[in-house]
Amino acid sequence: MNSVTARAPSSTANLGPGFDVFGLALDAFYDEVQLTKQKHGISIITDDSIPVSPRKNTTGLVVEYMKKKFRIKSGVQIRIKKGVPAGFGMGSSAASAAATAVAFNKLFSLGLDGNTLVECAGVGELASAGSIHYDNVSASVLGGFIIVRTKPLDVIKILPPSDLRLVVAVPKITVPKKKTQVSRSVVPKHIPLSDSVVNLANASSIVAGFVRKDSELIGKSIQDVIIEPARAHLIPGFYQVKKNSLKAGALGVTISGAGPSVISFATKKSNLKKIADAMKKGFADKRIDSQIVICKPSNGAKTI
Ligand code: ADP
């Protein structure tokens, strides 16, 4: 085998109160990464506006790490086709990293388990976020709902209920180059114990909702009194989008990852079109166009 292509889904991190802990794979957008053996080195080919230097692209870092870890001598050419918009809180760089780890595993017949693939894909996040976070990559590699424990890395996957639906609004605004760093810098360093109690109760209820396959419980527990209030000002129109969506029947609404996308939680029975239109109008009132996607949770990365 000389070449392998893998496809990995977008994802939403945090789900409100699960900051840096929760991830959910979304069948909204997909990245495709083709790895081909070559004589020497690592090279990247893409038509998308992302860095092509292997040290600055998540895929390059993953290949470099896996080559070293598994003592692979062959060079690797990486061809990236982006489907996940980069920098909008949809786990774009993580999707590329996830597809790369899965493709590398197949190309060199390594037979790696899910946790090892997550560890390898996580290394890529150094290129985009400047530090390693496993919430998006875990969801993108494994699919479904993910709880990430660190030190040591321990990833817990729960299959989402089949009637869970999400409506994502991706505002067409210019995102700052260091968006993830900026949005991390506004997160409070100290929090009142009472706020941590509220978030813990909601985060626990989200987990219970996934375990019980109860989309209503998941949706109404998407409430965050710590991170969302600190970040909302970075997204013009956020509170209007949220208010409109709740009024249209969404169960819960929050920032997707570090933003600026906004995600609404609903069920198959909700009026999803009404929620989508309400979110679009919330941004439009601020003269911001947005791409709205109604989607379900996704399975993990696969070779194709
Ligand atoms: P988000 O999760 O909001 O999409 P990311 O953490 O994916 O944000 O960061 C996007 C940043 O990562 C962009 O500035 C982009 O240049 C950089 N980046 C590096 N490699 C990739 C890649 N393969 N795909 C997408 N973005 C990448």
Side-chain angles (χ1 to χ4, degrees), residues 43-88:
S43 50
I44 297 179
I45 303 173
T46 182
D47 290 336
D48 299 288
S49 54
I50 49 171
V52 288
S53 149
R55 287 270 165 92
K56 294 207 166 113
N57 193 297
T58 54
T59 61
L61 284 183
V62 174
V63 167
E64 185 180 63
Y65 179 78
M66 292 181 85
K67 261 167 63 68
K68 201 162 164 205
K69 185 172 170 96
F70 302 107
R71 301 203 172 101
I72 304 290
K73 295 271 178 312
S74 168
V76 178
Q77 182 203 75
I78 307 167
R79 195 178 281 272
I80 309 168
K81 218 158 84 202
K82 298 284 313 167
V84 188
F88 286 86

Side-chain angles (χ1 to χ4, degrees), residues 112-133:
L112 305 175
D113 63 19
N115 263 306
T116 311
L117 289 171
V118 168
E119 180 216 313
C120 294
V123 173
E125 290 297 72
L126 270 180
S128 60
S131 53
I132 302 191
H133 298 284

